[in-house]
Amino acid sequence: MSSELVKLQNSPRAAARWQKAQQQLMGKRFASALAGYQDIVRRFPGVAQLWFELGIAAMGELEFDLADQAFRRTMELSAKDAQMLILLAQQYQRLRRLDQARRCFELAAAADPSSAHAQINLALWHEKDRQLDKAWDVIENCVAEHPGEGYAVYVKAFILHRKGMGAEAETLLRDLIQRDLPDPNVRVSSHYLLAEILDEAGQYAGALRHLLDAKSLARQTVNAQQLEQDYDRADVRRRELLAALAPGIIQRWRQEIPSGINPCRLAFLGGHPRSGTTLLEQILGAHPEIRAFDEPVAFVNEIWDQLAPMNAPHALTLNELNSLNASRRAEMRRRHQKSLLREVEGGAGAKVLLVKNPSPTMALYLWLRIFPELKVIIAIRDPRDVLISCFFQNLTLTATNANFLSLNRAAKHYADLMDVWLRMRELGGFDWIQVRYRDVVADLTGEGRRATEFLQLSWHEDQAKFHESARRKFLFSPTYHDVTRPLQSRSVDRWKNYAEALAPIQDRLAPYCREFGFE
């Protein structure tokens, strides 16, 4: 503990001010928190935790350069604190300052070479940055030093799988599953990864068994029933809002577009998760006049969280939407753009800003209230393929993601989200296009050209080589690995390998299969 931290803690007035700033930070009252932190660090400039929290408050206020300065100061004061450096790296990822994030992970591993946690985080960073040889060297050393660390062994299996060594990965995973591990999430993740390996090997029955084992174990780590109930209450309120929307309402909203809007056109790329949104984003984002954003937090942070109570998601009413005055909407637009451009040095430099984030399709009505000029692209994929693909995902369990613990709940989630799209499409009054995943796989240039021209641009030759540019990017989507390879048809009609498991919900999915042209 530093001497300055001791002085701060022994100063009742300063300690009380720090506690107040922390409470404001937790309550997302970022401006007040930032002012408090700035006052305290002037008196105690050598306390790393103060600078770290100041940086988070600055991010909340969209003061990204100030956040960077605060985090750099934290880094200087935490040269030997591996845990703080890991936390700092994670904040730099939120800030989308990826060079600094990588540097913090490297410093953490160097600060405490005996820390398995630091080594694992560095290996995972290298893997996501497609530096597999570096990732392998780090995790090999980590497992050699910590053979009993289950998560390190899992990460080794994960990297082996990425290197195309599925058989070696399978051996490690089967051993992990049999171990009595203190962290149940390691066994959950091991079942998921083993299911993926078996699926790739054509062993579909075995893959399904391990998926079901993963789901069963995962349900024991959270109160899944409570999460499902929270989700269902939100869905009831959302459907009430959709029913209250009347034809012509979006056209009326469109008449309220504020003057002097940004010259960059804004487009939203959505649909159900695992419907091909990342593929479309990479094809469109390879165009030199399109700046594509991979699952940014701007909409959720600057619009959704400002309107919906934290304990009642999707609880907006039609009256609340209509009552958003021009100044409030203009401020949200301004903050959204500033948040979006955090990762773009010197401004966007593009004609189109493309936001890819499938889950906020649930709130498409809110997108169109704040951005009625929005151009909307919805990715469509065979609902059965969507469900199987979602079922394979090892996701952090939230009220939404808990739906993917069973195929029945996954079908409900699919219906809930696509009913939002179908209702908004029925209401009309905005510019939209649907793009089917299987059509893109069959005719990349034709479908890519159609989507590009919808954005009022001409097809560019670089778009056909999207996978080459994707290899040079750090992607945040769970499917970051898939889009770095040329298009393949393996994912089309994948559901047929699991037709028996899907049989009980086929009737529920049938209306959507017919609607989107999948027999």
Side-chain angles (χ1 to χ4, degrees):
M1 185 180 294
S2 70
S3 59
E4 277 203 37
L5 179 56
V6 173
K7 290 179 182 178
L8 191 162
Q9 292 174 336
N10 289 333
S11 170
R13 185 174 179 180
R17 185 67 188 92
W18 187 8
Q19 184 178 40
K20 182 178 180 180
Q22 288 175 323
Q23 292 170 345
Q24 291 167 333
L25 183 61
M26 292 178 64
K28 298 188 176 183
R29 300 190 299 277
F30 297 117
S32 300
L34 183 57
Y37 283 117
Q38 288 175 314
D39 177 57
I40 303 170
V41 296
R42 279 192 286 268
R43 297 178 56 196
F44 302 95
V47 180
Q49 186 68 29
L50 279 177
W51 286 105
F52 179 69
E53 293 172 13
L54 189 156
I56 296 174
M59 271 205 298
E61 270 299 282
L62 309 186
E63 298 292 342
F64 300 124
D65 288 340
L66 177 58
D68 184 31
Q69 293 168 20
F71 291 151
R72 287 178 185 273
R73 181 60 177 147
T74 308
M75 197 187 312
E76 293 170 3
L77 295 169
S78 305
K80 297 181 179 180
D81 187 343
Q83 185 58 37
M84 173 58 82
L85 289 166
I86 291 170
L87 293 174
L88 197 55
Q90 293 166 349
Q91 292 301 322
Y92 265 128
Q93 287 187 73
R94 290 183 58 216
L95 195 58
R96 302 291 173 105
R97 306 283 172 96
L98 302 179
D99 288 341
Q100 291 94 318
R102 179 176 58 253
R103 179 61 177 153
C104 286
F105 280 127
E106 291 171 343
L107 288 173
D112 186 0
S114 66
S115 169
H117 184 50
Q119 299 290 331
I120 289 168
N121 274 278
L122 179 59
L124 288 172
W125 174 271
H126 285 321
E127 183 280 326
K128 193 154 189 175
D129 201 30
R130 287 175 286 281
Q131 305 263 348
L132 287 182
D133 289 340
K134 288 184 177 180
W136 178 253
D137 290 342
V138 172
I139 203 62
E140 270 275 71
N141 291 333
C142 182
V143 171
E145 294 177 15
H146 306 277
E149 174 57 58
Y151 191 50
V153 178
Y154 164 77
V155 172
K156 180 177 179 178
F158 176 66
I159 294 173
L160 280 169
H161 176 239
R162 284 287 192 255
K163 289 166 68 73
M165 302 170 70
E168 293 84 347
E170 181 179 345
T171 299
L172 289 179
L173 293 168
R174 291 191 182 280
D175 175 66
L176 270 180
I177 288 169
Q178 297 303 317
R179 288 193 197 180
D180 183 19
L181 299 169
D183 183 0
N185 290 305
V186 175
R187 291 184 67 208
V188 171
S189 296
S190 297
H191 278 295
Y192 271 113
L193 182 54
L194 185 51
E196 186 176 344
I197 291 170
L198 294 175
D199 175 78
E200 291 172 354
Q203 299 178 42
Y204 306 119
L208 183 60
R209 282 196 303 273
H210 284 284
L211 282 180
L212 294 176
D213 286 343
K215 310 293 182 183
S216 177
L217 286 170
R219 290 189 74 89
Q220 299 171 30
T221 66
V222 297
N223 187 341
Q225 184 177 15
Q226 183 62 57
L227 291 175
E228 291 169 354
Q229 290 172 353
D230 292 344
Y231 173 86
D232 289 345
R233 283 194 294 271
D235 181 55
V236 169
R237 292 190 292 265
R238 182 173 52 246
R239 288 182 179 277
E240 290 172 350
L241 170 59
L242 291 171
L245 294 173
I249 193 167
I250 299 171
Q251 290 179 328
R252 291 198 297 274
W253 291 346
R254 200 159 188 165
Q255 295 170 5
E256 301 175 11
I257 296 176
S259 58
I261 63 173
N262 192 283
C264 296
R265 296 189 293 277
L266 184 66
F268 171 66
L269 171 53
H272 197 281
R274 307 296 292 158
S275 289
T277 53
T278 302
L279 172 61
L280 263 178
E281 176 221 341
Q282 293 303 309
I283 294 170
L284 292 170
H287 194 292
E289 294 183 305
I290 298 175
R291 183 61 172 87
F293 296 86
D294 174 31
E295 307 206 359
V297 298
F299 176 80
V300 172
N301 286 355
E302 310 310 325
I303 297 176
W304 187 242
D305 283 353
Q306 306 305 312
L307 294 173
M310 291 183 65
N311 62 344
H314 305 293
L316 290 174
T317 66
L318 179 57
N319 182 58
E320 288 171 328
L321 283 176
N322 283 327
S323 64
L324 288 171
N325 60 43
S327 62
R328 183 87 186 275
R329 298 195 312 275
E331 175 64 6
M332 286 182 171
R333 292 170 68 100
R334 183 192 70 79
R335 287 182 63 88
H336 179 269
Q337 175 144 321
K338 187 173 182 181
S339 179
L340 200 61
L341 296 181
R342 71 178 66 188
E343 56 192 278
V344 182
E345 295 183 7
K351 291 183 178 179
V352 176
L353 305 182
L354 178 72
V355 177
K356 186 274 290 186
N357 208 350
S359 292
T361 305
M362 282 282 198
L364 186 56
Y365 48 84
L366 183 54
W367 278 102
L368 292 169
R369 179 63 178 122
I370 307 301
F371 306 102
E373 78 282 11
L374 187 72
K375 298 183 82 67
V376 177
I377 303 174
I378 298 296
I380 301 294
R381 187 180 178 191
D382 188 316
R384 298 157 295 190
D385 280 336
V386 169
L387 259 61
I388 289 299
S389 188
C390 286
F391 208 56
F392 268 85
Q393 299 303 299
N394 183 10
L395 303 170
T396 301
L397 291 178
T398 63
T400 295
N401 293 340
N403 286 297
F404 303 119
L405 291 176
S406 75
L407 285 171
N408 186 55
R409 292 286 308 188
K412 171 178 167 48
H413 183 270
Y414 181 88
D416 295 340
L417 188 146
M418 297 312 293
D419 282 351
V420 173
W421 165 239
L422 292 174
R423 177 58 174 159
M424 300 309 296
R425 192 184 73 177
E426 176 188 27
L427 291 169
F430 63 100
D431 299 329
W432 61 269
I433 189 175
Q434 291 181 169
V435 181
R436 299 200 318 164
Y437 175 80
R438 72 167 59 207
D439 295 340
V440 176
V441 172
D443 184 8
L444 165 63
T445 301
E447 286 300 293
R449 185 188 306 276
R450 187 170 73 92
T452 304
E453 291 176 352
F454 170 73
L455 298 176
Q456 299 173 264
L457 296 171
S458 299
W459 175 256
H460 191 278
E461 60 182 8
D462 288 351
Q463 293 177 266
K465 301 175 289 185
F466 72 92
H467 56 281
E468 296 178 4
S469 59
R471 293 193 189 108
R472 298 189 293 271
K473 300 176 184 177
F474 189 98
L475 304 178
F476 291 85
S477 167
T479 55
Y480 64 92
H481 178 68
D482 297 336
V483 295
T484 60
R485 298 176 291 185
L487 271 182
Q488 50 187 329
S489 60
R490 178 180 178 273
S491 296
V492 175
D493 288 335
R494 182 187 183 191
W495 69 270
K496 292 180 179 179
N497 301 320
Y498 302 93
E500 185 176 350
L502 288 169
I505 57 173
Q506 286 278 21
D507 288 345
R508 189 168 193 174
L509 296 176
Y512 303 96
C513 290
R514 288 193 295 270
E515 174 64 39
F516 299 125
F518 300 101
E519 295 301 330

